[in-house]
Amino acid sequence: MEYCSFGVSGMSWLADAADRQQVLAAMPELAASYTQLYAQLWTLPQLPASSLELCRLRLAQLHNSAVEWQKSEAELAPGQRLALVDWPSSELFDSAERACLDFCEVYAMDTQAITDAQAEAVKQHHGDAGLVALVEALGLFDGMTRLSLLWQLPVLPVEGQ
Amino acid sequence: MASKPRVTAPEQKTGNVVRDSSLALVPETLDPYLAVNALIWLGGPLNAAEIEIARLRNARTVNCVFCRNVRYDIAIEAGLDESKVAMIEDGFIDSALSDREKLILEFTDQYLGNPAAIGTDLQQRLLAEFTTAELVHLSMAISHFHGFSRCAVSLGGMPDDMPRMEVSLPD
């Protein structure tokens, strides 16, 4: 896959900042509250963090965001990251993950096109609360991906690479 | 669009429109969400009328019927009236909105349409008009409204239409 990349060094056009936290530092109180909300997602009992991470990464792929793709927020099973682009035909994803990814893809393209069957598939694995948690998380992930692109955050070198 | 709700909100009612919604099914995020929402409206350099312009532009694009038809009372108090709301449509560039308000709409559209393609011309006009804190505030407001309007649409139960309704910021 090819990703939008605005250079391996440099700053956002909007602020003297190289990453999300540095941009958000312009509004410290909001940054702290937002960070708390975002962090909460990864500890929710309603949905495994790994399923959320798969959806976050899939949104990064669909938006062609190198910055978001580069990040890692939760551990995945071996091979899943590389197989994500072909998840419908891969055997590395279980039915619960597939339900979330299927919902995520339609959410990304046209929220109004989500079908009752797609919502029901998520609920079968995670219940009503799981579906709510998923759409909340997708909103935050999609938002951060769009902002990374809009702010033209640079791709930073990854430690150890 | 699904007119039937896809989840059942908790039966216990508090009188708070957010706490009584299906978002209450995930109590872990409820207070953090409300804290972010309050800071978006009250904790930044942009006034509530400017924030409301961006919110309504998003609501129109996402076609969230509820979001489109509510008006925050603090935005009205800050000077947003229906004649101005009517200008948040296609062709706003030629409207009587101020240059600052038009820039808010251009930035919102860029976020909603193709955020990666923001050009240097728009960047420069934004930087000439807004401070960094204002642009971060606007960015976070648009992102917040976009995410939660899509949340509302995704969970179903949206009416086909509803009357205009004035609301206060939930506690």
PDB file of all heavy atoms in Angstrom, chain A residues 99-135:
ATOM      1  N   ALA A  99     -16.305  -9.127  12.084  1.00  0.00           N
ATOM      2  CA  ALA A  99     -17.517  -8.311  12.239  1.00  0.00           C
ATOM      3  C   ALA A  99     -17.139  -6.842  12.460  1.00  0.00           C
ATOM      4  O   ALA A  99     -17.753  -5.934  11.881  1.00  0.00           O
ATOM      5  CB  ALA A  99     -18.343  -8.840  13.410  1.00  0.00           C
ATOM      6  N   CYS A 100     -16.122  -6.616  13.301  1.00  0.00           N
ATOM      7  CA  CYS A 100     -15.687  -5.240  13.567  1.00  0.00           C
ATOM      8  C   CYS A 100     -15.068  -4.604  12.318  1.00  0.00           C
ATOM      9  O   CYS A 100     -15.337  -3.442  11.996  1.00  0.00           O
ATOM     10  CB  CYS A 100     -14.689  -5.213  14.722  1.00  0.00           C
ATOM     11  SG  CYS A 100     -15.429  -5.609  16.325  1.00  0.00           S
ATOM     12  N   LEU A 101     -14.243  -5.359  11.605  1.00  0.00           N
ATOM     13  CA  LEU A 101     -13.596  -4.809  10.415  1.00  0.00           C
ATOM     14  C   LEU A 101     -14.608  -4.520   9.307  1.00  0.00           C
ATOM     15  O   LEU A 101     -14.503  -3.510   8.597  1.00  0.00           O
ATOM     16  CB  LEU A 101     -12.517  -5.777   9.916  1.00  0.00           C
ATOM     17  CG  LEU A 101     -11.234  -5.794  10.743  1.00  0.00           C
ATOM     18  CD1 LEU A 101     -10.360  -6.996  10.378  1.00  0.00           C
ATOM     19  CD2 LEU A 101     -10.448  -4.496  10.554  1.00  0.00           C
ATOM     20  N   ASP A 102     -15.575  -5.390   9.172  1.00  0.00           N
ATOM     21  CA  ASP A 102     -16.615  -5.184   8.161  1.00  0.00           C
ATOM     22  C   ASP A 102     -17.387  -3.897   8.464  1.00  0.00           C
ATOM     23  O   ASP A 102     -17.634  -3.064   7.582  1.00  0.00           O
ATOM     24  CB  ASP A 102     -17.559  -6.399   8.158  1.00  0.00           C
ATOM     25  CG  ASP A 102     -18.525  -6.363   7.000  1.00  0.00           C
ATOM     26  OD1 ASP A 102     -18.140  -5.904   5.908  1.00  0.00           O
ATOM     27  OD2 ASP A 102     -19.681  -6.783   7.189  1.00  0.00           O
ATOM     28  N   PHE A 103     -17.760  -3.732   9.729  1.00  0.00           N
ATOM     29  CA  PHE A 103     -18.474  -2.525  10.154  1.00  0.00           C
ATOM     30  C   PHE A 103     -17.593  -1.298   9.921  1.00  0.00           C
ATOM     31  O   PHE A 103     -18.044  -0.264   9.403  1.00  0.00           O
ATOM     32  CB  PHE A 103     -18.827  -2.660  11.641  1.00  0.00           C
ATOM     33  CG  PHE A 103     -19.762  -1.601  12.157  1.00  0.00           C
ATOM     34  CD1 PHE A 103     -21.123  -1.849  12.279  1.00  0.00           C
ATOM     35  CD2 PHE A 103     -19.278  -0.358  12.550  1.00  0.00           C
ATOM     36  CE1 PHE A 103     -21.987  -0.876  12.768  1.00  0.00           C
ATOM     37  CE2 PHE A 103     -20.128   0.613  13.034  1.00  0.00           C
ATOM     38  CZ  PHE A 103     -21.483   0.354  13.151  1.00  0.00           C
ATOM     39  N   CYS A 104     -16.329  -1.416  10.293  1.00  0.00           N
ATOM     40  CA  CYS A 104     -15.372  -0.321  10.181  1.00  0.00           C
ATOM     41  C   CYS A 104     -15.229   0.161   8.733  1.00  0.00           C
ATOM     42  O   CYS A 104     -15.195   1.363   8.470  1.00  0.00           O
ATOM     43  CB  CYS A 104     -14.020  -0.799  10.719  1.00  0.00           C
ATOM     44  SG  CYS A 104     -12.627   0.282  10.407  1.00  0.00           S
ATOM     45  N   GLU A 105     -15.171  -0.764   7.815  1.00  0.00           N
ATOM     46  CA  GLU A 105     -14.957  -0.375   6.412  1.00  0.00           C
ATOM     47  C   GLU A 105     -16.137   0.414   5.862  1.00  0.00           C
ATOM     48  O   GLU A 105     -15.957   1.401   5.153  1.00  0.00           O
ATOM     49  CB  GLU A 105     -14.717  -1.626   5.549  1.00  0.00           C
ATOM     50  CG  GLU A 105     -13.362  -2.236   5.806  1.00  0.00           C
ATOM     51  CD  GLU A 105     -12.829  -3.024   4.627  1.00  0.00           C
ATOM     52  OE1 GLU A 105     -13.616  -3.342   3.716  1.00  0.00           O
ATOM     53  OE2 GLU A 105     -11.621  -3.324   4.634  1.00  0.00           O
ATOM     54  N   VAL A 106     -17.343  -0.010   6.196  1.00  0.00           N
ATOM     55  CA  VAL A 106     -18.503   0.736   5.701  1.00  0.00           C
ATOM     56  C   VAL A 106     -18.597   2.077   6.423  1.00  0.00           C
ATOM     57  O   VAL A 106     -18.929   3.105   5.817  1.00  0.00           O
ATOM     58  CB  VAL A 106     -19.800  -0.087   5.876  1.00  0.00           C
ATOM     59  CG1 VAL A 106     -20.989   0.665   5.294  1.00  0.00           C
ATOM     60  CG2 VAL A 106     -19.656  -1.427   5.185  1.00  0.00           C
ATOM     61  N   TYR A 107     -18.293   2.054   7.719  1.00  0.00           N
ATOM     62  CA  TYR A 107     -18.271   3.309   8.486  1.00  0.00           C
ATOM     63  C   TYR A 107     -17.350   4.313   7.792  1.00  0.00           C
ATOM     64  O   TYR A 107     -17.678   5.494   7.657  1.00  0.00           O
ATOM     65  CB  TYR A 107     -17.781   3.023   9.906  1.00  0.00           C
ATOM     66  CG  TYR A 107     -17.586   4.262  10.762  1.00  0.00           C
ATOM     67  CD1 TYR A 107     -18.575   4.675  11.656  1.00  0.00           C
ATOM     68  CD2 TYR A 107     -16.418   5.019  10.682  1.00  0.00           C
ATOM     69  CE1 TYR A 107     -18.406   5.812  12.433  1.00  0.00           C
ATOM     70  CE2 TYR A 107     -16.250   6.155  11.453  1.00  0.00           C
ATOM     71  CZ  TYR A 107     -17.235   6.547  12.330  1.00  0.00           C
ATOM     72  OH  TYR A 107     -17.063   7.674  13.083  1.00  0.00           O
ATOM     73  N   ALA A 108     -16.197   3.853   7.361  1.00  0.00           N
ATOM     74  CA  ALA A 108     -15.209   4.750   6.757  1.00  0.00           C
ATOM     75  C   ALA A 108     -15.713   5.342   5.442  1.00  0.00           C
ATOM     76  O   ALA A 108     -15.439   6.493   5.127  1.00  0.00           O
ATOM     77  CB  ALA A 108     -13.907   3.988   6.513  1.00  0.00           C
ATOM     78  N   MET A 109     -16.454   4.556   4.703  1.00  0.00           N
ATOM     79  CA  MET A 109     -16.874   5.014   3.377  1.00  0.00           C
ATOM     80  C   MET A 109     -18.163   5.815   3.426  1.00  0.00           C
ATOM     81  O   MET A 109     -18.281   6.870   2.811  1.00  0.00           O
ATOM     82  CB  MET A 109     -17.024   3.817   2.433  1.00  0.00           C
ATOM     83  CG  MET A 109     -15.681   3.203   2.073  1.00  0.00           C
ATOM     84  SD  MET A 109     -15.818   1.781   0.997  1.00  0.00           S
ATOM     85  CE  MET A 109     -16.299   0.515   2.134  1.00  0.00           C
ATOM     86  N   ASP A 110     -19.161   5.318   4.143  1.00  0.00           N
ATOM     87  CA  ASP A 110     -20.457   6.005   4.205  1.00  0.00           C
ATOM     88  C   ASP A 110     -21.226   5.465   5.411  1.00  0.00           C
ATOM     89  O   ASP A 110     -21.816   4.387   5.348  1.00  0.00           O
ATOM     90  CB  ASP A 110     -21.253   5.769   2.912  1.00  0.00           C
ATOM     91  CG  ASP A 110     -22.611   6.458   2.931  1.00  0.00           C
ATOM     92  OD1 ASP A 110     -22.913   7.158   3.922  1.00  0.00           O
ATOM     93  OD2 ASP A 110     -23.367   6.297   1.951  1.00  0.00           O
ATOM     94  N   THR A 111     -21.239   6.242   6.454  1.00  0.00           N
ATOM     95  CA  THR A 111     -21.863   5.795   7.699  1.00  0.00           C
ATOM     96  C   THR A 111     -23.334   5.414   7.491  1.00  0.00           C
ATOM     97  O   THR A 111     -23.841   4.500   8.139  1.00  0.00           O
ATOM     98  CB  THR A 111     -21.759   6.910   8.754  1.00  0.00           C
ATOM     99  OG1 THR A 111     -20.407   7.381   8.776  1.00  0.00           O
ATOM    100  CG2 THR A 111     -22.129   6.419  10.122  1.00  0.00           C
ATOM    101  N   GLN A 112     -23.975   6.127   6.591  1.00  0.00           N
ATOM    102  CA  GLN A 112     -25.400   5.855   6.374  1.00  0.00           C
ATOM    103  C   GLN A 112     -25.631   4.532   5.645  1.00  0.00           C
ATOM    104  O   GLN A 112     -26.763   4.049   5.586  1.00  0.00           O
ATOM    105  CB  GLN A 112     -26.029   6.998   5.582  1.00  0.00           C
ATOM    106  CG  GLN A 112     -25.863   8.321   6.313  1.00  0.00           C
ATOM    107  CD  GLN A 112     -26.927   9.325   5.980  1.00  0.00           C
ATOM    108  OE1 GLN A 112     -28.070   8.959   5.751  1.00  0.00           O
ATOM    109  NE2 GLN A 112     -26.572  10.591   5.975  1.00  0.00           N
ATOM    110  N   ALA A 113     -24.563   3.972   5.090  1.00  0.00           N
ATOM    111  CA  ALA A 113     -24.706   2.708   4.351  1.00  0.00           C
ATOM    112  C   ALA A 113     -24.529   1.485   5.248  1.00  0.00           C
ATOM    113  O   ALA A 113     -24.670   0.351   4.780  1.00  0.00           O
ATOM    114  CB  ALA A 113     -23.692   2.670   3.205  1.00  0.00           C
ATOM    115  N   ILE A 114     -24.224   1.694   6.517  1.00  0.00           N
ATOM    116  CA  ILE A 114     -24.098   0.551   7.435  1.00  0.00           C
ATOM    117  C   ILE A 114     -25.447  -0.153   7.517  1.00  0.00           C
ATOM    118  O   ILE A 114     -26.498   0.483   7.692  1.00  0.00           O
ATOM    119  CB  ILE A 114     -23.666   1.031   8.844  1.00  0.00           C
ATOM    120  CG1 ILE A 114     -22.252   1.619   8.782  1.00  0.00           C
ATOM    121  CG2 ILE A 114     -23.721  -0.112   9.858  1.00  0.00           C
ATOM    122  CD1 ILE A 114     -21.848   2.388  10.040  1.00  0.00           C
ATOM    123  N   THR A 115     -25.399  -1.469   7.404  1.00  0.00           N
ATOM    124  CA  THR A 115     -26.661  -2.218   7.423  1.00  0.00           C
ATOM    125  C   THR A 115     -26.961  -2.733   8.835  1.00  0.00           C
ATOM    126  O   THR A 115     -26.052  -2.851   9.677  1.00  0.00           O
ATOM    127  CB  THR A 115     -26.592  -3.426   6.471  1.00  0.00           C
ATOM    128  OG1 THR A 115     -25.608  -4.349   6.992  1.00  0.00           O
ATOM    129  CG2 THR A 115     -26.220  -3.002   5.062  1.00  0.00           C
ATOM    130  N   ASP A 116     -28.231  -3.051   9.048  1.00  0.00           N
ATOM    131  CA  ASP A 116     -28.614  -3.649  10.330  1.00  0.00           C
ATOM    132  C   ASP A 116     -27.859  -4.963  10.550  1.00  0.00           C
ATOM    133  O   ASP A 116     -27.484  -5.291  11.677  1.00  0.00           O
ATOM    134  CB  ASP A 116     -30.123  -3.917  10.356  1.00  0.00           C
ATOM    135  CG  ASP A 116     -30.932  -2.627  10.464  1.00  0.00           C
ATOM    136  OD1 ASP A 116     -30.362  -1.600  10.901  1.00  0.00           O
ATOM    137  OD2 ASP A 116     -32.122  -2.643  10.105  1.00  0.00           O
ATOM    138  N   ALA A 117     -27.629  -5.706   9.470  1.00  0.00           N
ATOM    139  CA  ALA A 117     -26.929  -6.994   9.603  1.00  0.00           C
ATOM    140  C   ALA A 117     -25.494  -6.783  10.074  1.00  0.00           C
ATOM    141  O   ALA A 117     -24.977  -7.572  10.888  1.00  0.00           O
ATOM    142  CB  ALA A 117     -26.939  -7.723   8.251  1.00  0.00           C
ATOM    143  N   GLN A 118     -24.859  -5.744   9.581  1.00  0.00           N
ATOM    144  CA  GLN A 118     -23.479  -5.465  10.017  1.00  0.00           C
ATOM    145  C   GLN A 118     -23.445  -5.057  11.494  1.00  0.00           C
ATOM    146  O   GLN A 118     -22.554  -5.467  12.235  1.00  0.00           O
ATOM    147  CB  GLN A 118     -22.853  -4.378   9.135  1.00  0.00           C
ATOM    148  CG  GLN A 118     -22.487  -4.908   7.754  1.00  0.00           C
ATOM    149  CD  GLN A 118     -22.232  -3.826   6.737  1.00  0.00           C
ATOM    150  OE1 GLN A 118     -22.864  -2.773   6.762  1.00  0.00           O
ATOM    151  NE2 GLN A 118     -21.313  -4.092   5.828  1.00  0.00           N
ATOM    152  N   ALA A 119     -24.409  -4.257  11.901  1.00  0.00           N
ATOM    153  CA  ALA A 119     -24.482  -3.873  13.314  1.00  0.00           C
ATOM    154  C   ALA A 119     -24.799  -5.099  14.175  1.00  0.00           C
ATOM    155  O   ALA A 119     -24.215  -5.296  15.255  1.00  0.00           O
ATOM    156  CB  ALA A 119     -25.553  -2.804  13.502  1.00  0.00           C
ATOM    157  N   GLU A 120     -25.696  -5.935  13.688  1.00  0.00           N
ATOM    158  CA  GLU A 120     -26.086  -7.136  14.431  1.00  0.00           C
ATOM    159  C   GLU A 120     -24.903  -8.090  14.592  1.00  0.00           C
ATOM    160  O   GLU A 120     -24.748  -8.738  15.644  1.00  0.00           O
ATOM    161  CB  GLU A 120     -27.244  -7.831  13.689  1.00  0.00           C
ATOM    162  CG  GLU A 120     -28.002  -8.845  14.507  1.00  0.00           C
ATOM    163  CD  GLU A 120     -28.634  -8.266  15.767  1.00  0.00           C
ATOM    164  OE1 GLU A 120     -29.131  -7.126  15.731  1.00  0.00           O
ATOM    165  OE2 GLU A 120     -28.602  -8.970  16.799  1.00  0.00           O
ATOM    166  N   ALA A 121     -24.077  -8.179  13.569  1.00  0.00           N
ATOM    167  CA  ALA A 121     -22.905  -9.075  13.644  1.00  0.00           C
ATOM    168  C   ALA A 121     -21.958  -8.635  14.759  1.00  0.00           C
ATOM    169  O   ALA A 121     -21.429  -9.474  15.494  1.00  0.00           O
ATOM    170  CB  ALA A 121     -22.172  -9.081  12.300  1.00  0.00           C
ATOM    171  N   VAL A 122     -21.764  -7.331  14.903  1.00  0.00           N
ATOM    172  CA  VAL A 122     -20.919  -6.835  16.006  1.00  0.00           C
ATOM    173  C   VAL A 122     -21.588  -7.153  17.338  1.00  0.00           C
ATOM    174  O   VAL A 122     -20.947  -7.622  18.288  1.00  0.00           O
ATOM    175  CB  VAL A 122     -20.676  -5.309  15.870  1.00  0.00           C
ATOM    176  CG1 VAL A 122     -19.920  -4.779  17.093  1.00  0.00           C
ATOM    177  CG2 VAL A 122     -19.894  -5.002  14.592  1.00  0.00           C
ATOM    178  N   LYS A 123     -22.897  -6.941  17.416  1.00  0.00           N
ATOM    179  CA  LYS A 123     -23.631  -7.183  18.672  1.00  0.00           C
ATOM    180  C   LYS A 123     -23.619  -8.660  19.066  1.00  0.00           C
ATOM    181  O   LYS A 123     -23.623  -8.987  20.258  1.00  0.00           O
ATOM    182  CB  LYS A 123     -25.068  -6.671  18.540  1.00  0.00           C
ATOM    183  CG  LYS A 123     -25.161  -5.152  18.614  1.00  0.00           C
ATOM    184  CD  LYS A 123     -26.492  -4.617  18.133  1.00  0.00           C
ATOM    185  CE  LYS A 123     -27.677  -5.208  18.859  1.00  0.00           C
ATOM    186  NZ  LYS A 123     -28.958  -4.623  18.389  1.00  0.00           N
ATOM    187  N   GLN A 124     -23.620  -9.524  18.085  1.00  0.00           N
ATOM    188  CA  GLN A 124     -23.600 -10.967  18.406  1.00  0.00           C
ATOM    189  C   GLN A 124     -22.346 -11.338  19.188  1.00  0.00           C
ATOM    190  O   GLN A 124     -22.369 -12.235  20.029  1.00  0.00           O
ATOM    191  CB  GLN A 124     -23.664 -11.787  17.121  1.00  0.00           C
ATOM    192  CG  GLN A 124     -25.086 -11.946  16.601  1.00  0.00           C
ATOM    193  CD  GLN A 124     -25.141 -12.761  15.337  1.00  0.00           C
ATOM    194  OE1 GLN A 124     -24.131 -13.308  14.894  1.00  0.00           O
ATOM    195  NE2 GLN A 124     -26.318 -12.843  14.740  1.00  0.00           N
ATOM    196  N   HIS A 125     -21.272 -10.637  18.926  1.00  0.00           N
ATOM    197  CA  HIS A 125     -20.012 -10.926  19.621  1.00  0.00           C
ATOM    198  C   HIS A 125     -19.804 -10.053  20.854  1.00  0.00           C
ATOM    199  O   HIS A 125     -19.218 -10.499  21.842  1.00  0.00           O
ATOM    200  CB  HIS A 125     -18.828 -10.727  18.666  1.00  0.00           C
ATOM    201  CG  HIS A 125     -18.786 -11.714  17.553  1.00  0.00           C
ATOM    202  ND1 HIS A 125     -18.376 -13.021  17.737  1.00  0.00           N
ATOM    203  CD2 HIS A 125     -19.127 -11.600  16.250  1.00  0.00           C
ATOM    204  CE1 HIS A 125     -18.448 -13.669  16.579  1.00  0.00           C
ATOM    205  NE2 HIS A 125     -18.902 -12.835  15.663  1.00  0.00           N
ATOM    206  N   HIS A 126     -20.276  -8.821  20.800  1.00  0.00           N
ATOM    207  CA  HIS A 126     -19.913  -7.857  21.842  1.00  0.00           C
ATOM    208  C   HIS A 126     -21.097  -7.167  22.500  1.00  0.00           C
ATOM    209  O   HIS A 126     -20.889  -6.308  23.368  1.00  0.00           O
ATOM    210  CB  HIS A 126     -18.972  -6.798  21.253  1.00  0.00           C
ATOM    211  CG  HIS A 126     -17.721  -7.368  20.650  1.00  0.00           C
ATOM    212  ND1 HIS A 126     -16.771  -8.044  21.396  1.00  0.00           N
ATOM    213  CD2 HIS A 126     -17.262  -7.389  19.368  1.00  0.00           C
ATOM    214  CE1 HIS A 126     -15.785  -8.439  20.610  1.00  0.00           C
ATOM    215  NE2 HIS A 126     -16.061  -8.072  19.380  1.00  0.00           N
ATOM    216  N   GLY A 127     -22.307  -7.489  22.079  1.00  0.00           N
ATOM    217  CA  GLY A 127     -23.486  -6.903  22.704  1.00  0.00           C
ATOM    218  C   GLY A 127     -23.727  -5.455  22.292  1.00  0.00           C
ATOM    219  O   GLY A 127     -22.954  -4.873  21.523  1.00  0.00           O
ATOM    220  N   ASP A 128     -24.814  -4.892  22.823  1.00  0.00           N
ATOM    221  CA  ASP A 128     -25.145  -3.494  22.510  1.00  0.00           C
ATOM    222  C   ASP A 128     -24.013  -2.565  22.918  1.00  0.00           C
ATOM    223  O   ASP A 128     -23.639  -1.645  22.175  1.00  0.00           O
ATOM    224  CB  ASP A 128     -26.421  -3.071  23.261  1.00  0.00           C
ATOM    225  CG  ASP A 128     -27.689  -3.545  22.564  1.00  0.00           C
ATOM    226  OD1 ASP A 128     -27.602  -4.479  21.740  1.00  0.00           O
ATOM    227  OD2 ASP A 128     -28.771  -2.983  22.849  1.00  0.00           O
ATOM    228  N   ALA A 129     -23.485  -2.800  24.118  1.00  0.00           N
ATOM    229  CA  ALA A 129     -22.422  -1.911  24.616  1.00  0.00           C
ATOM    230  C   ALA A 129     -21.180  -1.998  23.734  1.00  0.00           C
ATOM    231  O   ALA A 129     -20.494  -0.992  23.518  1.00  0.00           O
ATOM    232  CB  ALA A 129     -22.078  -2.271  26.053  1.00  0.00           C
ATOM    233  N   GLY A 130     -20.912  -3.178  23.207  1.00  0.00           N
ATOM    234  CA  GLY A 130     -19.763  -3.329  22.317  1.00  0.00           C
ATOM    235  C   GLY A 130     -19.931  -2.533  21.037  1.00  0.00           C
ATOM    236  O   GLY A 130     -18.969  -1.941  20.526  1.00  0.00           O
ATOM    237  N   LEU A 131     -21.146  -2.506  20.517  1.00  0.00           N
ATOM    238  CA  LEU A 131     -21.392  -1.721  19.299  1.00  0.00           C
ATOM    239  C   LEU A 131     -21.212  -0.229  19.580  1.00  0.00           C
ATOM    240  O   LEU A 131     -20.612   0.502  18.775  1.00  0.00           O
ATOM    241  CB  LEU A 131     -22.799  -1.999  18.758  1.00  0.00           C
ATOM    242  CG  LEU A 131     -23.175  -1.222  17.492  1.00  0.00           C
ATOM    243  CD1 LEU A 131     -22.236  -1.556  16.329  1.00  0.00           C
ATOM    244  CD2 LEU A 131     -24.624  -1.491  17.093  1.00  0.00           C
ATOM    245  N   VAL A 132     -21.721   0.219  20.715  1.00  0.00           N
ATOM    246  CA  VAL A 132     -21.547   1.634  21.075  1.00  0.00           C
ATOM    247  C   VAL A 132     -20.058   1.953  21.236  1.00  0.00           C
ATOM    248  O   VAL A 132     -19.563   2.970  20.731  1.00  0.00           O
ATOM    249  CB  VAL A 132     -22.322   1.977  22.370  1.00  0.00           C
ATOM    250  CG1 VAL A 132     -22.017   3.405  22.817  1.00  0.00           C
ATOM    251  CG2 VAL A 132     -23.818   1.796  22.158  1.00  0.00           C
ATOM    252  N   ALA A 133     -19.352   1.072  21.930  1.00  0.00           N
ATOM    253  CA  ALA A 133     -17.907   1.290  22.121  1.00  0.00           C
ATOM    254  C   ALA A 133     -17.194   1.346  20.773  1.00  0.00           C
ATOM    255  O   ALA A 133     -16.294   2.175  20.568  1.00  0.00           O
ATOM    256  CB  ALA A 133     -17.319   0.177  22.990  1.00  0.00           C
ATOM    257  N   LEU A 134     -17.600   0.482  19.860  1.00  0.00           N
ATOM    258  CA  LEU A 134     -16.944   0.458  18.551  1.00  0.00           C
ATOM    259  C   LEU A 134     -17.169   1.773  17.799  1.00  0.00           C
ATOM    260  O   LEU A 134     -16.216   2.352  17.263  1.00  0.00           O
ATOM    261  CB  LEU A 134     -17.453  -0.722  17.716  1.00  0.00           C
ATOM    262  CG  LEU A 134     -16.835  -0.834  16.320  1.00  0.00           C
ATOM    263  CD1 LEU A 134     -15.333  -1.066  16.395  1.00  0.00           C
ATOM    264  CD2 LEU A 134     -17.505  -1.956  15.520  1.00  0.00           C
ATOM    265  N   VAL A 135     -18.404   2.265  17.764  1.00  0.00           N
ATOM    266  CA  VAL A 135     -18.633   3.495  16.991  1.00  0.00           C
ATOM    267  C   VAL A 135     -17.997   4.707  17.671  1.00  0.00           C
ATOM    268  O   VAL A 135     -17.549   5.641  17.000  1.00  0.00           O
ATOM    269  CB  VAL A 135     -20.126   3.754  16.685  1.00  0.00           C
ATOM    270  CG1 VAL A 135     -20.681   2.687  15.773  1.00  0.00           C
ATOM    271  CG2 VAL A 135     -20.958   3.888  17.921  1.00  0.00           C
TER     272      VAL A 135
END
